[in-house]
Amino acid sequence: MESLDTASIDAALRLIGIGQLLLVALVVWRSGAGPAVRQVTVALLIGVIGYLINSAPQFPQTPSPTRFAVVLASNLAPWFLWLFAHIVFDRAVDRRIAGASLALILASVMIYVLRRWYEPLIPLADAVGHIVAALLVIHAMVIAVRERDDDLVEQRRRFRVVFVLVIAVLSIGVLASEAWFGFGHEPAWMLVSQSVVIALAILGIGVAMLEADPALLAPPRAGLAPPGADDWSPAERVLKGKLDAAMAARVWLEPGLTITALAARLDVPEHRLRALINRRLGHRNFSAFLNGHRIAEAKAVLADPARVDLPVLTIAMDLGYGSLAPFNRAFRESVGQTPTEFRRQAFAADEKP
């Protein structure tokens, strides 16, 4: 009777979690978020639904198309979580990591589903799948924590904290229990505990996302707001003047400049500077604001005949970048070309009649 009650509680919690996930997915899909955010968020929620079904003791273990779809969705949840962290936090996706991790996950799923032919490879596939999932989850949390100070969207800064706490408790706990007991061999109390944590995590993240919409899910705004907008307050105009003066003095050349340091230089509260650059100037990250000035200067230097022999690395360091890689990445995201390609094209155009 006790085991029956435990199984019933576990099944009820899973059904509640699935219902919450479907509701959040529907609301996100119908929100004003950009297509990429909506697609990845819904895919992530479907992946969690797949895990809730796949890990349920009642779910049949026999191979079938339905089971393959559920197992695939369940194992892709960490991969979509990793993509979610990149897209929601405005970070470029490394295609090499995305492709390699996806290939390893798919291979481990195929070996697991077709286990009757690949039985000796099951332990290796299981280990690889768990290691890849753990690395993706940890990297997603690192992104949320490391770049929080650079984030200008206050709702998203708070969401980063919720994201890390929930994912740390949920994902690492699930992966650890599966690695210790083996998937499908967890004791009943462990399954119920997981279901309780998952249900609470779904509720927490769902509320955080829906409260932050559209600030959290809205796509980055292109361009800057007109500096003479009629609805600017006097305090905003004064702060904008201070910021313009600092930018004209080329403060953005300072290596490692943070918004905290800039606010101290301007002698203004940091939250006011964050709000001005985000809400009035349309930037969601402080690095994007700095890159707007740095990339404009880089384009002028790269197209200058008098500085044609200046190495790209020297240009990057002169513009405040700590190394060549972040400069190349920022330039490519802004211009669509590498600095070397831009310079070559600029002088090729000059040579045309």
Side-chain angles (χ1 to χ4, degrees), residues 5-53:
D5 291 342
T6 303
S8 300
I9 293 172
D10 178 69
L13 290 171
R14 289 176 189 274
L15 290 174
I16 291 172
I18 291 172
Q20 291 177 333
L21 285 165
L22 290 174
L23 177 61
V24 175
L26 177 63
V27 173
V28 170
W29 188 258
R30 293 171 58 86
S31 71
V37 175
R38 287 188 286 114
Q39 293 166 8
V40 171
T41 303
V42 171
L44 171 59
L45 297 176
I46 291 174
V48 179
I49 291 175
Y51 175 79
L52 288 172
I53 298 174

Coordinates of all heavy atoms in Angstrom, one line a residue, residues 5-53:
D5 N 1.0 4.2 -2.8 CA 0.8 5.6 -2.5 C 2.0 6.4 -3.1 O 1.8 7.5 -3.6 CB 0.7 5.8 -1.0 CG -0.6 5.2 -0.5 OD1 -1.6 5.0 -1.3 OD2 -0.7 5.0 0.7
T6 N 3.2 5.9 -2.9 CA 4.3 6.6 -3.4 C 4.3 6.7 -4.9 O 4.6 7.8 -5.5 CB 5.6 5.9 -3.0 OG1 5.7 5.7 -1.6 CG2 6.9 6.6 -3.5
A7 N 3.9 5.7 -5.6 CA 3.8 5.7 -7.0 C 2.7 6.7 -7.5 O 2.9 7.4 -8.5 CB 3.5 4.3 -7.6
S8 N 1.6 6.7 -6.7 CA 0.5 7.6 -7.1 C 0.9 9.1 -6.9 O 0.6 9.9 -7.8 CB -0.7 7.3 -6.2 OG -1.2 6.0 -6.4
I9 N 1.6 9.3 -5.8 CA 2.1 10.7 -5.6 C 3.1 11.1 -6.7 O 3.0 12.2 -7.2 CB 2.8 10.8 -4.2 CG1 1.8 10.6 -3.1 CG2 3.5 12.1 -4.0 CD1 2.3 10.5 -1.7
D10 N 4.0 10.2 -7.0 CA 5.0 10.5 -8.1 C 4.3 10.8 -9.4 O 4.6 11.8 -10.1 CB 5.9 9.3 -8.2 CG 7.0 9.6 -9.3 OD1 7.8 10.4 -9.1 OD2 6.9 8.9 -10.4
A11 N 3.3 10.0 -9.8 CA 2.6 10.2 -11.0 C 1.8 11.5 -11.0 O 1.8 12.2 -12.0 CB 1.6 9.0 -11.3
A12 N 1.2 11.8 -9.9 CA 0.4 13.0 -9.8 C 1.3 14.2 -9.9 O 1.0 15.2 -10.7 CB -0.3 13.1 -8.5
L13 N 2.5 14.2 -9.3 CA 3.4 15.3 -9.4 C 3.9 15.5 -10.8 O 4.1 16.6 -11.3 CB 4.6 15.1 -8.4 CG 4.2 15.3 -6.9 CD1 5.4 14.8 -6.1 CD2 3.9 16.7 -6.6
R14 N 4.2 14.4 -11.5 CA 4.6 14.5 -12.9 C 3.6 15.1 -13.8 O 3.9 15.9 -14.6 CB 5.0 13.1 -13.4 CG 6.3 12.6 -12.7 CD 6.7 11.1 -13.2 NE 7.8 10.6 -12.4 CZ 9.0 10.8 -12.7 NH1 9.4 11.5 -13.8 NH2 10.0 10.3 -11.9
L15 N 2.3 14.7 -13.6 CA 1.2 15.2 -14.4 C 1.1 16.7 -14.1 O 0.8 17.5 -15.0 CB -0.1 14.5 -14.1 CG -0.1 13.0 -14.6 CD1 -1.4 12.3 -14.1 CD2 -0.1 13.0 -16.1
I16 N 1.2 17.1 -12.8 CA 1.1 18.5 -12.5 C 2.2 19.3 -13.2 O 2.0 20.4 -13.8 CB 1.2 18.8 -11.0 CG1 -0.1 18.2 -10.3 CG2 1.4 20.2 -10.7 CD1 0.0 18.2 -8.8
G17 N 3.4 18.7 -13.2 CA 4.6 19.4 -13.8 C 4.4 19.5 -15.3 O 4.7 20.5 -15.9
I18 N 3.9 18.4 -15.9 CA 3.7 18.5 -17.4 C 2.6 19.5 -17.7 O 2.8 20.3 -18.7 CB 3.2 17.1 -17.9 CG1 4.4 16.1 -17.8 CG2 2.7 17.1 -19.3 CD1 4.0 14.7 -18.0
G19 N 1.6 19.6 -16.9 CA 0.5 20.6 -17.2 C 1.1 22.0 -17.1 O 0.8 22.9 -17.9
Q20 N 1.9 22.3 -16.0 CA 2.6 23.6 -15.9 C 3.5 23.9 -17.1 O 3.5 25.0 -17.6 CB 3.4 23.6 -14.6 CG 2.6 23.6 -13.3 CD 3.4 23.6 -12.1 OE1 4.5 23.1 -12.1 NE2 2.9 24.1 -11.0
L21 N 4.2 22.9 -17.5 CA 5.2 23.1 -18.6 C 4.4 23.5 -19.9 O 4.8 24.3 -20.7 CB 6.0 21.9 -18.9 CG 7.1 21.7 -17.9 CD1 7.7 20.2 -17.9 CD2 8.3 22.6 -18.1
L22 N 3.3 22.7 -20.1 CA 2.5 23.0 -21.3 C 1.9 24.4 -21.3 O 1.9 25.1 -22.3 CB 1.4 22.0 -21.5 CG 1.8 20.6 -21.8 CD1 0.7 19.6 -21.8 CD2 2.5 20.5 -23.2
L23 N 1.5 24.9 -20.1 CA 0.9 26.2 -20.0 C 2.0 27.3 -20.2 O 1.7 28.2 -21.0 CB 0.3 26.4 -18.6 CG -0.3 27.7 -18.2 CD1 -1.4 28.1 -19.2 CD2 -0.7 27.8 -16.8
V24 N 3.1 27.1 -19.6 CA 4.2 28.1 -19.9 C 4.6 28.1 -21.3 O 4.9 29.2 -21.9 CB 5.4 27.8 -19.0 CG1 6.6 28.7 -19.3 CG2 5.1 27.9 -17.5
A25 N 4.7 26.9 -21.9 CA 5.1 26.8 -23.3 C 4.1 27.6 -24.2 O 4.5 28.3 -25.2 CB 5.2 25.4 -23.8
L26 N 2.8 27.4 -23.9 CA 1.8 28.1 -24.7 C 1.9 29.6 -24.6 O 1.8 30.3 -25.5 CB 0.4 27.6 -24.3 CG -0.8 28.3 -24.9 CD1 -0.8 28.0 -26.4 CD2 -2.1 27.8 -24.3
V27 N 2.1 30.1 -23.3 CA 2.1 31.5 -23.1 C 3.4 32.1 -23.8 O 3.3 33.2 -24.4 CB 2.2 31.8 -21.6 CG1 2.4 33.3 -21.3 CG2 0.9 31.4 -20.9
V28 N 4.5 31.4 -23.7 CA 5.7 31.9 -24.3 C 5.6 31.9 -25.8 O 6.0 32.9 -26.5 CB 6.9 31.0 -23.9 CG1 8.2 31.3 -24.7 CG2 7.3 31.2 -22.4
W29 N 5.0 30.9 -26.4 CA 4.8 30.8 -27.8 C 3.9 31.9 -28.3 O 4.1 32.4 -29.5 CB 4.2 29.5 -28.2 CG 4.2 29.2 -29.7 CD1 3.1 29.3 -30.5 CD2 5.3 28.9 -30.5 NE1 3.5 29.1 -31.8 CE2 4.8 28.8 -31.9 CE3 6.6 28.7 -30.3 CZ2 5.6 28.5 -32.9 CZ3 7.5 28.4 -31.4 CH2 7.0 28.3 -32.7
R30 N 2.9 32.4 -27.5 CA 2.0 33.4 -27.9 C 2.5 34.8 -27.5 O 1.8 35.8 -27.7 CB 0.6 33.2 -27.4 CG -0.1 31.9 -27.9 CD -1.3 31.6 -27.2 NE -2.3 32.7 -27.2 CZ -3.2 33.0 -28.2 NH1 -3.2 32.1 -29.2 NH2 -4.0 34.0 -28.1
S31 N 3.7 34.9 -26.9 CA 4.2 36.2 -26.4 C 4.8 37.0 -27.5 O 4.9 36.5 -28.7 CB 5.3 35.9 -25.3 OG 6.4 35.4 -25.9
G32 N 5.3 38.1 -27.2 CA 6.0 39.0 -28.2 C 7.4 38.7 -28.3 O 8.1 39.6 -28.9
A33 N 7.9 37.6 -27.8 CA 9.3 37.3 -27.9 C 9.7 37.1 -29.4 O 8.9 36.7 -30.2 CB 9.7 36.1 -27.0
G34 N 11.0 37.2 -29.6 CA 11.5 36.9 -31.0 C 11.4 35.4 -31.3 O 11.3 34.6 -30.4
P35 N 11.4 35.0 -32.6 CA 11.2 33.6 -33.0 C 12.2 32.7 -32.3 O 11.9 31.6 -31.9 CB 11.4 33.7 -34.5 CG 11.1 35.1 -34.9 CD 11.6 35.9 -33.7
A36 N 13.5 33.1 -32.3 CA 14.5 32.2 -31.7 C 14.3 31.9 -30.2 O 14.4 30.8 -29.8 CB 15.9 32.8 -31.9
V37 N 13.9 32.9 -29.5 CA 13.6 32.8 -28.1 C 12.4 31.8 -27.9 O 12.4 30.9 -27.0 CB 13.3 34.1 -27.4 CG1 12.9 33.9 -25.9 CG2 14.6 35.0 -27.5
R38 N 11.4 32.1 -28.6 CA 10.2 31.2 -28.5 C 10.4 29.8 -28.9 O 10.0 28.9 -28.1 CB 9.0 31.8 -29.4 CG 8.4 33.1 -28.8 CD 7.2 33.5 -29.6 NE 7.5 34.1 -30.9 CZ 7.2 33.5 -32.0 NH1 6.5 32.4 -32.0 NH2 7.5 34.1 -33.2
Q39 N 11.1 29.6 -30.0 CA 11.4 28.2 -30.4 C 12.3 27.4 -29.4 O 12.0 26.3 -29.1 CB 12.1 28.2 -31.8 CG 11.1 28.7 -32.9 CD 11.9 29.1 -34.2 OE1 13.1 28.8 -34.3 NE2 11.2 29.7 -35.1
V40 N 13.4 28.1 -29.0 CA 14.3 27.4 -28.1 C 13.6 27.1 -26.7 O 13.8 26.1 -26.1 CB 15.6 28.1 -27.9 CG1 16.4 27.6 -26.8 CG2 16.4 28.1 -29.2
T41 N 12.8 28.1 -26.2 CA 12.2 28.0 -24.9 C 11.2 26.8 -25.0 O 11.1 26.0 -24.0 CB 11.5 29.3 -24.5 OG1 12.4 30.3 -24.5 CG2 10.8 29.1 -23.1
V42 N 10.4 26.8 -26.0 CA 9.4 25.7 -26.1 C 10.1 24.4 -26.3 O 9.6 23.4 -25.7 CB 8.4 26.0 -27.3 CG1 7.5 24.8 -27.6 CG2 7.6 27.2 -27.0
A43 N 11.1 24.3 -27.1 CA 11.9 23.1 -27.2 C 12.5 22.6 -25.9 O 12.4 21.4 -25.6 CB 13.0 23.2 -28.2
L44 N 13.0 23.5 -25.1 CA 13.5 23.2 -23.7 C 12.4 22.6 -22.9 O 12.6 21.6 -22.2 CB 14.1 24.4 -23.1 CG 14.5 24.3 -21.6 CD1 15.5 23.2 -21.4 CD2 15.0 25.6 -21.1
L45 N 11.2 23.3 -22.9 CA 10.1 22.8 -22.1 C 9.6 21.4 -22.5 O 9.3 20.5 -21.7 CB 8.9 23.8 -22.1 CG 9.3 25.2 -21.6 CD1 8.1 26.1 -21.8 CD2 9.6 25.1 -20.1
I46 N 9.6 21.2 -23.8 CA 9.3 19.8 -24.3 C 10.3 18.8 -23.9 O 10.0 17.7 -23.5 CB 9.2 19.9 -25.9 CG1 7.9 20.7 -26.3 CG2 9.1 18.5 -26.4 CD1 7.8 20.9 -27.8
G47 N 11.6 19.2 -23.8 CA 12.6 18.3 -23.4 C 12.4 17.9 -21.9 O 12.6 16.7 -21.5
V48 N 12.0 18.9 -21.1 CA 11.7 18.6 -19.7 C 10.5 17.7 -19.5 O 10.5 16.7 -18.7 CB 11.5 19.9 -18.9 CG1 11.2 19.5 -17.4 CG2 12.8 20.7 -19.0
I49 N 9.5 17.9 -20.4 CA 8.3 17.0 -20.4 C 8.8 15.6 -20.8 O 8.3 14.6 -20.2 CB 7.3 17.5 -21.4 CG1 6.6 18.8 -20.9 CG2 6.2 16.4 -21.6 CD1 5.7 19.4 -21.9
G50 N 9.7 15.5 -21.8 CA 10.2 14.2 -22.1 C 10.9 13.5 -21.0 O 10.7 12.3 -20.8
Y51 N 11.7 14.3 -20.2 CA 12.3 13.7 -19.0 C 11.3 13.2 -18.0 O 11.5 12.1 -17.4 CB 13.3 14.6 -18.4 CG 13.9 14.1 -17.1 CD1 15.0 13.2 -17.2 CD2 13.4 14.4 -15.9 CE1 15.5 12.6 -16.1 CE2 13.9 13.8 -14.7 CZ 15.0 12.9 -14.8 OH 15.5 12.4 -13.7
L52 N 10.3 14.0 -17.7 CA 9.3 13.6 -16.7 C 8.6 12.3 -17.1 O 8.2 11.4 -16.3 CB 8.2 14.7 -16.6 CG 8.7 16.0 -15.8 CD1 7.6 17.0 -15.9 CD2 9.0 15.6 -14.4
I53 N 8.4 12.1 -18.5 CA 7.7 10.9 -18.9 C 8.7 9.7 -18.9 O 8.4 8.6 -18.5 CB 7.2 11.1 -20.4 CG1 6.1 12.2 -20.3 CG2 6.6 9.8 -20.9 CD1 5.5 12.6 -21.7

